[in-house]
Amino acid sequence: MSLLDQLADLPNAALPLPWLVTAGQPTAEQFATAHAAEVRTVIDLRDPMEPRPFDEKGTLAKLGIEYVNVPVSQGALTPVVLDRILAALRASAGKPTLLHCASGNRTAGALIPYLILDEGMAEQDAVDAAMRIGLRSAELMEWGCDYARSHPK
């Protein structure tokens, strides 16, 4: 059973890489399911000030899942933010990992440079993959593509 099969109940769940599930905001129960699926790292792109129905960091700590928060918000789409996201993805590459935001839009935009720089995808293929997993913002698409263009392989 694939990682996506085990986590199919996550909102807007997608499997852009065999070890990486992208999604919208999971529930506390869905994090327990992720733990059972051997996910040991969660990368959260939501701002800590966004409303949440539970303490995500505390819930994950109790499950023994590493929590990495790299807020992605309008007006803060900088290369430094992508540096942090890429560092987190690279640190967990090959190990079951969940990358999420509220809906999947931010995860998809932030994943573009990883797909290009680390997975060797052509830019259009990376954008197409991002669209399939939830990209709905031209601004996030350009953020990811511009980063990849300015950081040659």
XYZ file of all heavy atoms in Angstrom, residues 5-54:
384
model
N -2.116 5.963 -0.409
C -3.253 5.100 -0.077
C -3.545 5.160 1.422
O -4.704 5.181 1.840
C -2.982 3.653 -0.487
C -2.938 3.457 -1.986
O -3.549 4.267 -2.725
O -2.276 2.494 -2.430
N -2.488 5.186 2.223
C -2.658 5.211 3.674
C -3.157 6.559 4.181
O -3.781 6.641 5.244
C -1.331 4.877 4.360
C -0.856 3.459 4.065
C 0.510 3.222 4.663
O 0.631 3.100 5.878
N 1.526 3.174 3.817
N -2.900 7.621 3.417
C -3.268 8.976 3.850
C -4.288 9.631 2.921
O -4.412 10.855 2.884
C -2.007 9.835 3.943
C -0.940 9.315 4.911
C 0.304 10.189 4.867
C -1.484 9.216 6.320
N -5.037 8.812 2.201
C -5.977 9.324 1.194
C -7.073 10.205 1.786
O -7.669 11.002 1.065
C -6.595 8.164 0.427
N -7.340 10.088 3.098
C -8.404 10.898 3.683
C -7.970 12.326 4.021
O -8.779 13.140 4.428
C -8.985 10.210 4.920
C -7.970 10.057 6.048
O -6.757 10.018 5.770
O -8.411 9.976 7.216
N -6.686 12.649 3.811
C -6.242 14.024 4.025
C -6.880 14.948 2.995
O -7.083 14.544 1.847
C -4.721 14.124 3.897
C -3.885 13.447 4.968
C -2.419 13.462 4.567
C -4.072 14.135 6.295
N -7.179 16.191 3.363
C -7.757 17.109 2.377
C -6.766 17.399 1.245
O -5.610 17.705 1.498
C -8.065 18.368 3.183
C -7.294 18.244 4.451
C -7.010 16.799 4.675
N -7.225 17.238 0.021
C -6.411 17.514 -1.175
C -5.094 16.743 -1.186
O -4.065 17.244 -1.653
C -6.149 19.018 -1.331
C -7.424 19.809 -1.450
O -8.356 19.386 -2.103
N -7.485 20.950 -0.790
N -5.115 15.528 -0.688
C -3.905 14.712 -0.616
C -3.380 14.378 -2.005
O -4.141 14.078 -2.924
C -4.189 13.419 0.148
N -2.048 14.443 -2.131
C -1.378 14.090 -3.380
C -0.025 13.483 -3.033
O 0.501 13.702 -1.936
C -1.204 15.319 -4.265
N 0.528 12.734 -3.972
C 1.824 12.088 -3.778
C 2.736 12.492 -4.935
O 2.904 11.750 -5.889
C 1.650 10.568 -3.715
C 2.868 9.757 -3.309
C 3.180 9.942 -1.829
C 2.637 8.276 -3.598
N 3.351 13.690 -4.856
C 4.212 14.133 -5.953
C 5.524 13.353 -6.049
O 6.133 13.305 -7.108
C 4.461 15.605 -5.647
C 4.255 15.722 -4.174
C 3.218 14.699 -3.815
N 5.945 12.757 -4.944
C 7.146 11.926 -4.887
C 6.811 10.715 -4.017
O 5.960 10.825 -3.130
C 8.322 12.712 -4.288
C 8.756 13.941 -5.089
C 9.670 14.844 -4.262
C 9.440 13.525 -6.377
N 7.438 9.582 -4.235
C 7.049 8.366 -3.501
C 7.091 8.497 -1.976
O 6.377 7.792 -1.276
C 8.054 7.320 -3.972
C 8.552 7.826 -5.291
C 8.489 9.327 -5.214
N 7.882 9.419 -1.453
C 8.038 9.591 -0.007
C 7.335 10.833 0.535
O 7.339 11.075 1.743
C 9.525 9.664 0.363
C 10.271 10.729 -0.411
C 10.872 10.573 -1.632
C 10.464 12.095 -0.052
N 11.429 11.771 -2.047
C 11.206 12.714 -1.094
C 10.101 12.861 1.050
C 11.567 14.056 -1.060
C 10.470 14.208 1.086
C 11.192 14.779 0.033
N 6.720 11.633 -0.348
C 6.183 12.930 0.059
C 4.694 13.046 -0.250
O 4.291 12.986 -1.412
C 6.934 14.055 -0.665
C 6.492 15.471 -0.317
C 6.814 15.811 1.140
C 7.154 16.480 -1.251
N 3.912 13.246 0.804
C 2.493 13.534 0.648
C 2.309 15.031 0.872
O 2.865 15.597 1.823
C 1.637 12.756 1.668
C 0.185 13.211 1.635
C 1.713 11.266 1.398
N 1.556 15.671 -0.017
C 1.171 17.071 0.159
C -0.318 17.097 0.443
O -1.066 16.230 -0.014
C 1.495 17.914 -1.090
O 0.783 17.387 -2.210
C 2.978 17.938 -1.368
N -0.744 18.098 1.210
C -2.158 18.135 1.591
C -2.524 19.495 2.159
O -1.656 20.331 2.433
C -2.440 17.056 2.638
N -3.832 19.647 2.371
C -4.339 20.749 3.158
C -4.224 20.374 4.635
O -3.642 19.343 4.981
N -4.780 21.190 5.500
C -4.633 21.013 6.949
C -5.223 19.685 7.437
O -6.408 19.447 7.315
C -5.323 22.158 7.696
C -5.279 22.033 9.204
C -3.867 22.103 9.764
O -3.155 23.053 9.503
N -3.477 21.114 10.542
N -4.384 18.817 7.988
C -4.889 17.572 8.576
C -5.542 17.818 9.947
O -5.260 18.821 10.617
C -3.624 16.719 8.755
C -2.588 17.361 7.897
C -2.932 18.817 7.887
N -6.353 16.870 10.365
C -6.911 16.868 11.714
C -5.934 16.145 12.639
O -4.999 15.481 12.179
C -8.259 16.124 11.748
O -8.029 14.742 11.424
C -9.268 16.733 10.778
N -6.180 16.230 13.931
C -5.347 15.503 14.900
C -5.419 14.004 14.633
O -4.409 13.301 14.706
C -5.793 15.832 16.323
N -6.595 13.506 14.293
C -6.765 12.077 13.997
C -5.985 11.686 12.744
O -5.414 10.595 12.672
C -8.248 11.729 13.837
C -9.073 11.912 15.094
C -9.442 13.364 15.405
O -9.376 14.254 14.506
O -9.758 13.632 16.586
N -5.961 12.553 11.754
C -5.214 12.268 10.529
C -3.703 12.251 10.786
O -2.978 11.514 10.141
C -5.590 13.260 9.429
C -6.996 13.011 8.914
C -7.534 14.141 8.064
O -7.183 15.303 8.236
N -8.408 13.799 7.128
N -3.241 13.052 11.742
C -1.825 12.979 12.110
C -1.510 11.631 12.756
O -0.434 11.071 12.535
C -1.422 14.125 13.029
C -1.187 15.424 12.307
C -1.802 16.584 12.734
C -0.341 15.494 11.203
C -1.582 17.789 12.077
C -0.120 16.688 10.536
C -0.742 17.840 10.981
N -2.429 11.092 13.531
C -2.226 9.764 14.117
C -2.150 8.715 13.013
O -1.309 7.804 13.067
C -3.344 9.444 15.103
N -2.972 8.865 11.989
C -2.918 7.957 10.835
C -1.584 8.116 10.103
O -0.985 7.123 9.678
C -4.091 8.240 9.871
O -5.316 8.059 10.586
C -4.059 7.327 8.668
N -1.112 9.342 9.979
C 0.188 9.586 9.339
C 1.305 8.904 10.123
O 2.215 8.302 9.536
C 0.447 11.087 9.216
N 1.234 8.967 11.432
C 2.235 8.294 12.266
C 2.199 6.791 12.019
O 3.248 6.153 11.862
C 2.002 8.600 13.746
C 3.010 7.967 14.635
N 2.802 6.735 15.222
C 4.244 8.373 15.017
C 3.865 6.427 15.941
N 4.755 7.391 15.829
N 1.010 6.222 11.942
C 0.875 4.783 11.667
C 1.432 4.425 10.292
O 1.906 3.303 10.082
C -0.589 4.363 11.775
N 1.419 5.409 9.359
C 1.974 5.204 8.015
C 3.469 5.500 7.985
O 4.066 5.578 6.911
C 1.246 6.088 7.004
N 4.069 5.673 9.158
C 5.505 5.893 9.340
C 5.991 7.278 8.947
O 7.186 7.485 8.748
C 6.318 4.787 8.670
C 6.000 3.426 9.252
C 6.897 2.319 8.739
O 7.913 2.610 8.097
O 6.563 1.161 8.995
N 5.083 8.248 8.839
C 5.500 9.637 8.636
C 6.177 10.097 9.921
O 5.626 9.948 11.005
C 4.293 10.549 8.298
C 4.673 12.019 8.375
C 3.742 10.209 6.922
N 7.387 10.625 9.793
C 8.130 11.079 10.964
C 8.496 12.554 10.892
O 9.075 13.092 11.822
C 9.387 10.233 11.178
C 9.098 8.788 11.509
C 8.296 8.651 12.806
N 7.966 7.278 13.125
C 6.817 6.676 12.832
N 5.864 7.349 12.197
N 6.586 5.426 13.173
N 8.145 13.207 9.766
C 8.374 14.652 9.628
C 7.138 15.286 9.005
O 6.620 14.788 8.002
C 9.599 14.960 8.739
O 10.748 14.318 9.290
C 9.850 16.456 8.642
N 6.684 16.375 9.609
C 5.611 17.192 9.059
C 6.180 18.585 8.854
O 6.737 19.180 9.783
C 4.383 17.245 9.993
C 3.405 18.322 9.546
C 3.698 15.883 10.037
N 6.059 19.078 7.625
C 6.483 20.438 7.288
C 5.218 21.247 7.059
O 4.448 20.971 6.135
C 7.393 20.453 6.036
C 8.594 19.516 6.236
C 7.839 21.884 5.728
C 9.367 19.222 4.964
N 4.997 22.205 7.926
C 3.786 23.016 7.936
C 4.114 24.394 7.366
O 4.978 25.095 7.895
C 3.297 23.120 9.382
C 2.121 24.056 9.570
O 1.511 24.498 8.586
O 1.824 24.353 10.750
N 3.416 24.790 6.313
C 3.659 26.087 5.679
C 2.669 27.157 6.128
O 2.682 28.267 5.602
C 3.625 25.949 4.150
C 4.621 24.952 3.555
C 4.574 25.017 2.033
C 6.032 25.182 4.068
N 1.860 26.837 7.120
C 0.890 27.815 7.610
C 1.549 28.770 8.602
O 2.442 28.397 9.348
C -0.277 27.107 8.282
C -1.043 26.231 7.286
C -2.258 25.634 7.900
N -3.217 26.701 8.114
C -4.274 26.596 8.909
N -4.500 25.478 9.577
N -5.090 27.601 9.051
N 1.070 30.003 8.612
C 1.538 30.977 9.586
C 1.012 30.576 10.971
O -0.150 30.163 11.087
C 1.008 32.366 9.207
C 1.627 33.450 10.041
O 1.277 33.556 11.242
O 2.472 34.192 9.514
N 1.835 30.689 12.002
C 1.362 30.322 13.344
C 0.122 31.102 13.785
O -0.619 30.635 14.649
C 2.555 30.650 14.250
C 3.736 30.580 13.356
C 3.250 31.050 12.004
N -0.119 32.266 13.198
C -1.287 33.068 13.568
C -2.574 32.632 12.863
O -3.650 33.115 13.213
C -1.013 34.550 13.279
C 0.147 35.128 14.075
S -0.033 34.928 15.863
C -1.368 36.065 16.164
N -2.477 31.731 11.884
C -3.684 31.243 11.235
C -4.496 30.426 12.236
O -3.923 29.665 13.015
C -3.338 30.368 10.024
C -2.772 31.144 8.856
C -2.455 30.250 7.663
O -3.356 29.517 7.205
O -1.297 30.285 7.204
N -5.814 30.558 12.211
C -6.630 29.799 13.167
C -6.506 28.289 12.935
O -6.461 27.829 11.802
C -8.057 30.282 12.892
C -8.013 31.040 11.621
C -6.587 31.397 11.325
N -6.432 27.565 14.049
C -6.321 26.108 14.009
C -7.223 25.540 15.098
O -7.305 26.096 16.187
C -4.891 25.659 14.270
C -3.907 26.099 13.215
C -2.495 25.893 13.736
N -1.528 26.608 12.929
C -0.802 26.049 11.977
N -0.920 24.779 11.722
N 0.043 26.766 11.285
N -7.824 24.380 14.827
C -8.722 23.793 15.827
C -8.002 23.033 16.946
O -8.649 22.599 17.893
C -9.585 22.844 14.994
C -8.721 22.477 13.836
C -7.869 23.686 13.561
N -6.687 22.876 16.845
C -5.939 22.136 17.867
C -4.477 22.556 17.821
O -4.040 23.224 16.893
C -6.075 20.619 17.665
C -5.480 20.124 16.371
C -4.200 19.598 16.335
C -6.187 20.210 15.170
C -3.634 19.161 15.141
C -5.635 19.768 13.979
C -4.355 19.247 13.968
